[in-house]
Amino acid sequence: MCGITGYIGEHTSSAVLKTGLQNLEYRGYDSAGIALVGDELQVYKQQGTIDGLSIPTTETATHGIGHTRWSTHGEPTDENAHPHTDCSGDVAVVHNGIISNYDDLKQELGGHLFESETDTEVIPHLIEEELTAGADLRAAVMRALTRLEGSFAIAVTHVEYDGIVAARQDSPLVIGHGDEGMYLGSDVTAFVEYTQQVSYLEDGDVAHIDATGMTVFNDGERVTRSVQTVDWDATAAGKAGHDHYMHKEIHEQPTALRQAISGRIDELAGHATLEVDLRDAFLESIDEIHIVACGTSYHAGLYAKELFEPLTDVSVRVDLASEYRVHDGHDTQRTLVIAVTQSGETADTLTAIRQAKSCGMTTLAITNTVGSTITREVDDALFIKAGPEIGVAATKTFVSQVTILALFGTYLSRLRGTLAAGDAADLLANIRQLPSAVQIVLDAESQIQRLASQYADSEAFFFIGRALGYPVALESALKLKEISYAHAEGFAAGELKHGPLALVTEDTPVIALLNSGAIADQTRTNVKEVEARGGPVVGLTTTGQPDSFCRHTIEIPELGRLEPLVSNVALQLFAYHVANELGRSIDKPRNLAKSVTVE
């Protein structure tokens, strides 16, 4: 991993490729490089940032490929950076994914010279052998792929080949169709300023791309991949005057929520109107829901569980996708599996969905990415419509995921007749008020910034909550540790006295969710335990309901079961300003990638 870009056309190739690499920086990387094809193959690569990469600004290259690497096999060095070449120096390859049998392939390629520690380097040498045997580049790539085990997205160039060959298996690739050439990327952001017309490659696809179009093959047969229009633009993918993408995306949440809600609530009938293709009869019959997700999306799933069970009278379990197992005792015909994933390409979540489908279960995806792998593999998908999220730490996608899950909960409860009309109307009214409530919190940023400045140097941070407050405590701790590198933990408030209380000192602030839906009265007991031991407490309380046991309070607009979700926005700002105070790399935190496409 982590980012692939490619271009062939009328523009200066190096400039387009460098722009593509810069657009992909948000995915995280530790080295970068490009290969340019003209009269000869020229490779420029090095450890470090794209800004430090020496690339010619004028050249005669007709096309090229580029890559930002996040180390998996081998340390971040110039030698391990992509692209990798064959012995002749005529073939260049960039690769995302993991080649699991690369050790065996290296042994089989014993006569070849290897210059890196990467699994990727076996690919150009496999292609070289096929070219030597007389194949053209596309055929050579197709034959080489049959020897690979694992996951991959690759782009390949050759000094004598007028085009780029791209292929994917369990790792995303998208092709852009422009007026002045063709583009290639791990995602749309790589080339969004040049075109919004895209085609998504599918597993097993091998594509030849030239300046006028593409030809795609799968299992040796020519196939068609539709051209779609994405609704992202270059402005949406920029910082718009903010110092960091994360700050911009925190402030985009009112807009993202309006987009998520738009057209999905029937005001007159008082119920959600979702574009769900799953059969009503099936949804009425289910007795169990499995939610599978990773990281922030997992926390959205935990929030949904707290909403779903009282709304729908259905048992809900939430699994980390990497830990998901289907055991005996489940009625697979009456189980719905919901995958929550921002990118739609998360490897662990895809594996979980495939396991569910192999057991005969019906699947639904909640995602931000039209055309992503998961949308093609599930039975149905609901899109959160949050727009591009560039910062590695998820913000607007979390609130949008929870919102869509809440709408789905009311949709399901109506079908099943488990929610009184008045209760449904109250929840939908709260959903409609979400954008305004979030804006009120954003308008109070200066207060949150002062708190962050006061506590930025703390030894550790503990977040506590109950019921709907618990997943927000987990998510808020994750956000803080992701971007500030501070030690932060989230706990169910009742568990504080079962061990974590031993860590509470005057240098460990405790942030407590004291909202509606978070069982505030019981949580106040835990707040008193902290206060008695000298620990500073920051309480998130309902507007007009300050708490005397809290050293500081952040007031959150009253919003029923969605109030803790709004508190999460305040805690995103808290994490951001702590990290900024500490001078961290907020949009590109160390060791993390935006889209985790390997298991």
Side-chain angles (χ1 to χ4, degrees), residues 251-264 384-385 400 403 431-437 439:
H251 279 265
E252 285 178 339
Q253 288 176 109
T255 299
L257 286 166
R258 291 186 183 99
Q259 291 170 177
I261 296 166
S262 178
R264 287 169 161 169
I384 66 174
K385 302 180 181 179
S400 298
T403 299
I431 292 172
R432 286 194 298 269
Q433 293 163 15
L434 257 175
S436 298
Q439 188 61 57

Side-chain angles (χ1 to χ4, degrees), residues 470-507:
Y470 174 50
V472 172
L474 295 176
E475 170 60 14
S476 300
L478 174 63
K479 213 55 51 197
L480 183 60
K481 71 179 74 172
E482 278 182 316
I483 62 169
S484 75
Y485 317 147
H487 179 73
E489 297 293 338
F491 302 106
E495 287 297 298
L496 194 65
K497 58 184 175 292
H498 295 290
L501 199 58
L503 301 175
V504 171
T505 71
E506 61 184 12
D507 293 321

Side-chain angles (χ1 to χ4, degrees), residues 2-7 17 20-21 24 26-27 65-66 96 153-155 164 166 168 171-176 182-192 198-201 209:
C2 194
I4 288 174
T5 186
Y7 174 70
L17 293 172
L21 293 178
L24 294 171
Y26 77 95
R27 297 168 71 96
I65 55 177
N96 283 349
I154 65 170
I164 300 169
R168 68 156 285 174
S171 192
L173 271 180
V174 58
I175 295 171
M182 296 289 288
Y183 305 82
L184 180 68
S186 294
D187 62 48
V188 175
T189 55
F191 51 75
V192 69
V198 304
S199 296
Y200 295 92
L201 296 186
I209 306 163

Side-chain angles (χ1 to χ4, degrees), residues 361-405:
M361 290 189 277
T362 300
T363 54
L364 171 70
I366 308 294
T367 185
N368 194 37
T369 312
V370 176
S372 56
T373 300
I374 205 160
T375 63
R376 296 193 295 272
E377 298 201 9
V378 293
D379 296 299
D380 198 8
L382 288 172
F383 296 99
I384 66 174
K385 302 180 181 179
E389 184 176 69
I390 307 302
V392 167
T395 52
K396 64 178 179 177
T397 54
F398 174 74
V399 297
S400 298
Q401 285 169 343
V402 173
T403 299
I404 295 304
L405 286 162

Side-chain angles (χ1 to χ4, degrees), residues 33-63:
I34 67 169
L36 297 172
V37 182
D39 296 332
E40 59 181 344
L41 177 69
Q42 296 176 293
V43 174
Y44 306 85
K45 63 178 185 175
Q46 68 177 46
Q47 174 191 358
T49 67
I50 294 161
D51 290 339
L53 188 62
S54 177
I55 303 175
T57 54
T58 59
E59 28 76 15
T60 58
T62 57
H63 58 284

